[in-house]
Amino acid sequence: LAGRLVLTPVARRGVRKPDFADVNAASRSLLWLANEGRNRFMDGGGTLGNVTIANGIQNAPCGADAYEFNWNGRRFSADWHIKNGGNTRDPSRCLRIYYCFDPQTQQIIVADMPAHRRTGAT
């Protein structure tokens, strides 16, 4: 995924010993982001809102859950996330991958994963 997708230190810590049980779903989601998702950002290939990635997993804007983070000396907004259905906060079943696209480096920056992040909206 080098040059296409990068994990922030927060995201790296999140995947060391996650409670989330479906590693395949998280891996497929990262591959989708590094390939199709990134290409859509770069090519302007239509909306990314509520795009189905796999059965029960979709890409969506964060809405009120968007948040600011620093990466490599710059400020970004994690305004997108990949999520699975089920409307649960159980960390073993709830997948959330918060990210943004950096047009300067043309990379997807994963700010946090794999659990639901606590924000002002939660």
Side-chain angles (χ1 to χ4, degrees):
L1 305 180
R4 296 178 289 156
L5 182 139
V6 64
L7 299 178
T8 65
V10 171
R12 286 179 185 271
R13 279 191 300 274
V15 298
R16 281 198 187 121
K17 290 185 181 178
D19 292 327
F20 185 67
D22 192 349
V23 174
N24 287 330
S27 298
R28 284 191 317 268
S29 298
L30 290 175
L31 287 172
W32 181 89
L33 267 178
N35 295 304
E36 185 175 337
R38 178 178 173 265
N39 289 344
R40 284 188 175 196
F41 276 108
M42 290 177 55
D43 300 336
T47 182
L48 285 167
N50 301 317
V51 171
T52 299
I53 295 168
N55 187 24
I57 301 173
Q58 64 179 214
N59 187 68
C62 286
D65 284 339
Y67 65 95
E68 301 288 314
F69 69 99
N70 293 319
W71 171 248
N72 281 350
R74 295 173 48 218
R75 191 92 170 140
F76 294 94
S77 176
D79 49 359
W80 289 94
H81 65 319
I82 290 178
K83 61 183 183 174
N84 64 349
N87 197 21
T88 180
R89 289 190 179 272
D90 176 356
S92 69
R93 297 181 314 151
C94 179
L95 174 65
R96 294 295 185 275
I97 300 174
Y98 297 90
Y99 74 94
C100 69
F101 177 72
D102 177 11
Q104 183 176 326
T105 63
Q106 297 187 334
Q107 292 186 103
I108 298 289
I109 303 171
V110 176
D112 201 357
M113 71 177 290
H116 203 289
R117 182 176 165 79
R118 291 181 92 50
T119 67
T122 55

Short mmCIF file of all heavy atoms in Angstrom, two decimals, residues 6-33:
data_model
loop_
_atom_site.label_atom_id
_atom_site.label_comp_id
_atom_site.label_asym_id
_atom_site.label_seq_id
_atom_site.Cartn_x
_atom_site.Cartn_y
_atom_site.Cartn_z
N VAL A 6 -1.56 5.41 4.12
CA VAL A 6 -0.67 5.47 5.27
C VAL A 6 -1.53 5.48 6.54
O VAL A 6 -2.63 6.03 6.55
CB VAL A 6 0.26 6.71 5.19
CG1 VAL A 6 -0.52 8.00 5.24
CG2 VAL A 6 1.33 6.66 6.25
N LEU A 7 -1.01 4.85 7.60
CA LEU A 7 -1.69 4.84 8.90
C LEU A 7 -0.96 5.81 9.82
O LEU A 7 0.27 5.77 9.92
CB LEU A 7 -1.64 3.45 9.54
CG LEU A 7 -2.30 2.30 8.81
CD1 LEU A 7 -2.11 1.01 9.58
CD2 LEU A 7 -3.77 2.55 8.57
N THR A 8 -1.71 6.66 10.51
CA THR A 8 -1.13 7.53 11.52
C THR A 8 -0.71 6.68 12.72
O THR A 8 -1.14 5.52 12.85
CB THR A 8 -2.13 8.60 11.99
OG1 THR A 8 -3.21 7.94 12.66
CG2 THR A 8 -2.63 9.46 10.83
N PRO A 9 0.10 7.23 13.63
CA PRO A 9 0.45 6.47 14.83
C PRO A 9 -0.77 6.02 15.63
O PRO A 9 -0.78 4.92 16.19
CB PRO A 9 1.31 7.45 15.63
CG PRO A 9 1.95 8.30 14.57
CD PRO A 9 0.87 8.47 13.53
N VAL A 10 -1.82 6.83 15.68
CA VAL A 10 -3.03 6.45 16.40
C VAL A 10 -3.65 5.21 15.76
O VAL A 10 -4.05 4.27 16.45
CB VAL A 10 -4.05 7.62 16.44
CG1 VAL A 10 -5.39 7.17 16.99
CG2 VAL A 10 -3.50 8.77 17.27
N ALA A 11 -3.75 5.19 14.44
CA ALA A 11 -4.31 4.04 13.73
C ALA A 11 -3.42 2.80 13.93
O ALA A 11 -3.93 1.69 14.12
CB ALA A 11 -4.47 4.35 12.25
N ARG A 12 -2.13 2.99 13.90
CA ARG A 12 -1.21 1.86 14.11
C ARG A 12 -1.40 1.25 15.50
O ARG A 12 -1.41 0.03 15.66
CB ARG A 12 0.25 2.29 13.93
CG ARG A 12 0.62 2.51 12.49
CD ARG A 12 2.09 2.95 12.39
NE ARG A 12 2.41 3.29 11.04
CZ ARG A 12 2.86 2.43 10.13
NH1 ARG A 12 3.00 1.16 10.45
NH2 ARG A 12 3.14 2.83 8.91
N ARG A 13 -1.54 2.11 16.50
CA ARG A 13 -1.79 1.60 17.86
C ARG A 13 -3.11 0.85 17.92
O ARG A 13 -3.23 -0.16 18.61
CB ARG A 13 -1.78 2.75 18.88
CG ARG A 13 -0.40 3.18 19.30
CD ARG A 13 -0.43 4.12 20.50
NE ARG A 13 -1.18 5.35 20.26
CZ ARG A 13 -0.69 6.45 19.70
NH1 ARG A 13 0.57 6.49 19.31
NH2 ARG A 13 -1.44 7.52 19.54
N GLY A 14 -4.11 1.35 17.19
CA GLY A 14 -5.43 0.73 17.20
C GLY A 14 -5.46 -0.67 16.62
O GLY A 14 -6.32 -1.48 16.98
N VAL A 15 -4.53 -0.98 15.73
CA VAL A 15 -4.54 -2.31 15.11
C VAL A 15 -3.57 -3.29 15.77
O VAL A 15 -3.51 -4.44 15.37
CB VAL A 15 -4.25 -2.23 13.58
CG1 VAL A 15 -5.33 -1.43 12.89
CG2 VAL A 15 -2.89 -1.68 13.29
N ARG A 16 -2.86 -2.84 16.78
CA ARG A 16 -1.91 -3.76 17.44
C ARG A 16 -2.63 -4.90 18.14
O ARG A 16 -2.26 -6.05 17.98
CB ARG A 16 -1.04 -2.99 18.42
CG ARG A 16 0.06 -2.26 17.72
CD ARG A 16 1.17 -1.85 18.67
NE ARG A 16 2.11 -1.02 17.94
CZ ARG A 16 2.42 0.22 18.28
NH1 ARG A 16 1.91 0.76 19.36
NH2 ARG A 16 3.27 0.91 17.56
N LYS A 17 -3.59 -4.59 18.96
CA LYS A 17 -4.35 -5.61 19.69
C LYS A 17 -5.83 -5.21 19.69
O LYS A 17 -6.40 -4.89 20.72
CB LYS A 17 -3.85 -5.74 21.13
CG LYS A 17 -2.48 -6.35 21.24
CD LYS A 17 -2.11 -6.56 22.69
CE LYS A 17 -0.72 -7.16 22.78
NZ LYS A 17 -0.30 -7.34 24.16
N PRO A 18 -6.45 -5.22 18.52
CA PRO A 18 -7.83 -4.75 18.45
C PRO A 18 -8.82 -5.76 19.04
O PRO A 18 -8.57 -6.96 19.03
CB PRO A 18 -8.07 -4.60 16.95
CG PRO A 18 -7.19 -5.64 16.34
CD PRO A 18 -5.96 -5.66 17.22
N ASP A 19 -9.92 -5.22 19.52
CA ASP A 19 -11.02 -6.08 19.95
C ASP A 19 -11.85 -6.52 18.75
O ASP A 19 -12.53 -7.52 18.82
CB ASP A 19 -11.94 -5.32 20.94
CG ASP A 19 -11.25 -5.06 22.26
OD1 ASP A 19 -10.43 -5.89 22.69
OD2 ASP A 19 -11.54 -4.01 22.87
N PHE A 20 -11.77 -5.75 17.65
CA PHE A 20 -12.56 -6.06 16.47
C PHE A 20 -12.16 -7.44 15.94
O PHE A 20 -10.98 -7.72 15.70
CB PHE A 20 -12.35 -4.99 15.39
CG PHE A 20 -13.21 -5.19 14.18
CD1 PHE A 20 -14.59 -5.07 14.28
CD2 PHE A 20 -12.67 -5.52 12.96
CE1 PHE A 20 -15.40 -5.26 13.17
CE2 PHE A 20 -13.46 -5.70 11.85
CZ PHE A 20 -14.83 -5.58 11.95
N ALA A 21 -13.14 -8.31 15.74
CA ALA A 21 -12.88 -9.71 15.44
C ALA A 21 -12.68 -10.02 13.96
O ALA A 21 -11.97 -10.97 13.62
CB ALA A 21 -14.03 -10.57 15.98
N ASP A 22 -13.26 -9.25 13.05
CA ASP A 22 -13.23 -9.59 11.63
C ASP A 22 -12.05 -8.91 10.92
O ASP A 22 -12.20 -7.90 10.24
CB ASP A 22 -14.56 -9.20 10.98
CG ASP A 22 -14.73 -9.79 9.60
OD1 ASP A 22 -13.75 -10.33 9.03
OD2 ASP A 22 -15.85 -9.69 9.06
N VAL A 23 -10.88 -9.51 11.06
CA VAL A 23 -9.66 -8.96 10.47
C VAL A 23 -9.78 -8.89 8.95
O VAL A 23 -9.30 -7.95 8.32
CB VAL A 23 -8.43 -9.80 10.90
CG1 VAL A 23 -7.18 -9.34 10.19
CG2 VAL A 23 -8.26 -9.75 12.40
N ASN A 24 -10.44 -9.88 8.34
CA ASN A 24 -10.61 -9.87 6.88
C ASN A 24 -11.39 -8.65 6.41
O ASN A 24 -11.06 -8.06 5.39
CB ASN A 24 -11.28 -11.16 6.41
CG ASN A 24 -10.35 -12.35 6.48
OD1 ASN A 24 -9.14 -12.20 6.34
ND2 ASN A 24 -10.91 -13.52 6.69
N ALA A 25 -12.43 -8.28 7.14
CA ALA A 25 -13.23 -7.11 6.76
C ALA A 25 -12.39 -5.84 6.83
O ALA A 25 -12.46 -4.99 5.93
CB ALA A 25 -14.46 -6.98 7.65
N ALA A 26 -11.59 -5.71 7.85
CA ALA A 26 -10.72 -4.53 7.99
C ALA A 26 -9.68 -4.52 6.87
O ALA A 26 -9.43 -3.47 6.26
CB ALA A 26 -10.04 -4.53 9.36
N SER A 27 -9.11 -5.66 6.56
CA SER A 27 -8.10 -5.74 5.49
C SER A 27 -8.70 -5.41 4.13
O SER A 27 -8.11 -4.65 3.36
CB SER A 27 -7.50 -7.15 5.44
OG SER A 27 -6.85 -7.45 6.63
N ARG A 28 -9.87 -5.98 3.83
CA ARG A 28 -10.54 -5.68 2.56
C ARG A 28 -10.88 -4.19 2.46
O ARG A 28 -10.77 -3.60 1.39
CB ARG A 28 -11.82 -6.51 2.42
CG ARG A 28 -11.58 -7.96 2.07
CD ARG A 28 -12.86 -8.70 1.68
NE ARG A 28 -14.01 -8.41 2.53
CZ ARG A 28 -14.35 -9.12 3.61
NH1 ARG A 28 -13.62 -10.15 3.97
NH2 ARG A 28 -15.41 -8.81 4.31
N SER A 29 -11.25 -3.60 3.56
CA SER A 29 -11.60 -2.17 3.57
C SER A 29 -10.37 -1.31 3.28
O SER A 29 -10.46 -0.34 2.52
CB SER A 29 -12.20 -1.78 4.92
OG SER A 29 -13.40 -2.49 5.14
N LEU A 30 -9.23 -1.66 3.87
CA LEU A 30 -8.01 -0.91 3.60
C LEU A 30 -7.57 -1.07 2.15
O LEU A 30 -7.13 -0.10 1.51
CB LEU A 30 -6.89 -1.35 4.55
CG LEU A 30 -7.06 -0.94 6.01
CD1 LEU A 30 -5.93 -1.54 6.86
CD2 LEU A 30 -7.12 0.56 6.17
N LEU A 31 -7.71 -2.26 1.60
CA LEU A 31 -7.38 -2.48 0.19
C LEU A 31 -8.30 -1.67 -0.72
O LEU A 31 -7.85 -1.08 -1.70
CB LEU A 31 -7.46 -3.96 -0.16
CG LEU A 31 -6.32 -4.82 0.38
CD1 LEU A 31 -6.60 -6.29 0.13
CD2 LEU A 31 -5.00 -4.40 -0.24
N TRP A 32 -9.59 -1.62 -0.39
CA TRP A 32 -10.53 -0.81 -1.18
C TRP A 32 -10.12 0.66 -1.13
O TRP A 32 -10.11 1.35 -2.15
CB TRP A 32 -11.95 -0.98 -0.66
CG TRP A 32 -12.94 -0.20 -1.45
CD1 TRP A 32 -13.61 -0.60 -2.56
CD2 TRP A 32 -13.37 1.15 -1.20
NE1 TRP A 32 -14.42 0.41 -3.03
CE2 TRP A 32 -14.29 1.49 -2.21
CE3 TRP A 32 -13.06 2.10 -0.24
CZ2 TRP A 32 -14.91 2.75 -2.27
CZ3 TRP A 32 -13.66 3.34 -0.30
CH2 TRP A 32 -14.58 3.65 -1.30
N LEU A 33 -9.77 1.14 0.07
CA LEU A 33 -9.35 2.53 0.22
C LEU A 33 -8.11 2.85 -0.60
O LEU A 33 -8.05 3.88 -1.27
CB LEU A 33 -9.03 2.83 1.70
CG LEU A 33 -10.11 3.39 2.56
CD1 LEU A 33 -9.61 3.57 3.98
CD2 LEU A 33 -10.65 4.67 2.01
#
